[in-house]
Amino acid sequence: MTSASELRSGKDDRDENFPVASWIIHPRHRALILAYYNFVRTADDIADHATLPGDEKLRYLDLLEAELLGKGETQAEAVTLRRALAERGMAPRHALDVLIAFRMDVTKLRYETWDEVIHYCRYSAMPVGRFMLDVHGEATATWAASDALCAGLQINNHLQDCGKDYRELNRVYLPRDALAAHGASVEQLGLAQSPPAMLACLQSLAVRNEALLGEGRSLAAEIRDVRLGIDVAVIQAYADRIVRLLKVRDPLRERVHLNKLELLTFSLAGIAGELGRRAICRKAITNPGTAHDA
């Protein structure tokens, strides 16, 4: 039997819209984060495999789940993550959640409403943020902002890759009611350029997603771990820039991604902004009587 590893697409952490186990994160967490990433990436690649039949995809996803839970030793990504989680005394809940999303990818090709897309994000994206927070020992009170940021990142990706998802997988994450409201059709996603109706739909979804990302903007400030807070600030900076591009560009006509200069610029801006915010807050805390004395 082919192992799940052999079904990998070749995409890795450098191809993501956000840094994975970046140098900002403390080294003690990187092995666990990379084990989680490799498990998720493998499962994602199985769900997106171009030629694997649907029942085979589901069988491999079930196998990954079984071995993550200790029932076998044949799938490297599942075994590695299982052992890494055990070393930290962590449950596999956030890895099990993403498998729900990848099973949805195999069996559900269309979404009727924005709420249905958010439900998908509950399993495809939100568990990733919750996992990162748990790894760093953060409070579950941070989950609400994290969920918003992670869902926004996922929807950015849906908009960026809407043409590719349709052409290669016949999968459409754009809500049908949004397409209908603008007079756009699913079939237009196969074109080399968006007609006016499709472009209006895509850009309206980008505007809605910008508001969702705004709901997650408090996350960095809610996080106690300085390194993770900075990492989140960088990710937020990337996401904000991408959604601004999606509001004015056509993802069917051009690749809407950040170039190397933009990645560097927004990384530095995110780092500087979060370090500055924490320095100001620390000064305010260490001088609590300043405002009263004035």
Side-chain angles (χ1 to χ4, degrees), residues 219-269:
L219 179 59
E222 295 176 17
I223 289 172
R224 295 171 301 172
D225 186 275
V226 176
R227 286 174 176 255
L228 181 60
I230 293 170
D231 197 56
V232 166
V234 170
I235 291 170
Q236 182 82 52
Y238 290 173
D240 288 344
R241 175 57 177 168
I242 288 170
V243 81
R244 287 196 296 270
L245 293 175
L246 287 166
K247 286 168 58 181
V248 297
R249 293 187 183 177
D250 178 6
L252 296 187
R253 186 172 62 85
E254 59 183 317
R255 188 170 180 265
V256 183
H257 283 265
L258 303 185
N259 59 40
K260 290 183 179 180
L261 178 58
E262 288 174 313
L263 288 171
L264 176 61
T265 300
F266 289 101
S267 293
L268 294 175

Side-chain angles (χ1 to χ4, degrees), residues 111-253:
Y111 291 80
E112 299 299 324
T113 64
W114 177 267
D115 286 345
E116 278 196 13
V117 175
I118 295 297
H119 176 73
Y120 170 78
C121 293
R122 162 62 185 88
Y123 295 101
S124 68
M126 296 179 192
V128 179
R130 295 179 181 189
F131 168 78
M132 290 293 292
L133 293 165
D134 282 1
V135 167
H136 288 81
E138 298 293 333
T140 56
T142 59
W143 282 14
S146 175
D147 288 352
L149 173 58
C150 290
L153 287 166
Q154 179 72 84
I155 294 169
N156 268 356
N157 186 255
H158 288 166
L159 295 173
Q160 289 170 293
D161 293 341
C162 59
K164 179 181 177 182
D165 287 339
Y166 175 70
R167 292 190 304 270
E168 298 183 4
L169 299 167
N170 189 30
R171 193 183 297 155
V172 180
Y173 296 103
L174 309 183
R176 274 178 164 156
D177 62 354
L179 290 167
H182 289 87
S185 68
V186 165
E187 292 73 24
Q188 291 172 346
L189 291 169
L191 301 175
Q193 180 173 329
S194 294
M198 176 59 72
L199 187 60
C201 177
L202 291 170
Q203 293 181 349
S204 72
L205 290 170
V207 170
R208 188 166 189 177
N209 198 42
E210 186 175 44
L212 179 60
L213 286 168
E215 294 175 22
R217 196 159 289 119
S218 65
L219 179 59
E222 295 176 17
I223 289 172
R224 295 171 301 172
D225 186 275
V226 176
R227 286 174 176 255
L228 181 60
I230 293 170
D231 197 56
V232 166
V234 170
I235 291 170
Q236 182 82 52
Y238 290 173
D240 288 344
R241 175 57 177 168
I242 288 170
V243 81
R244 287 196 296 270
L245 293 175
L246 287 166
K247 286 168 58 181
V248 297
R249 293 187 183 177
D250 178 6
L252 296 187
R253 186 172 62 85

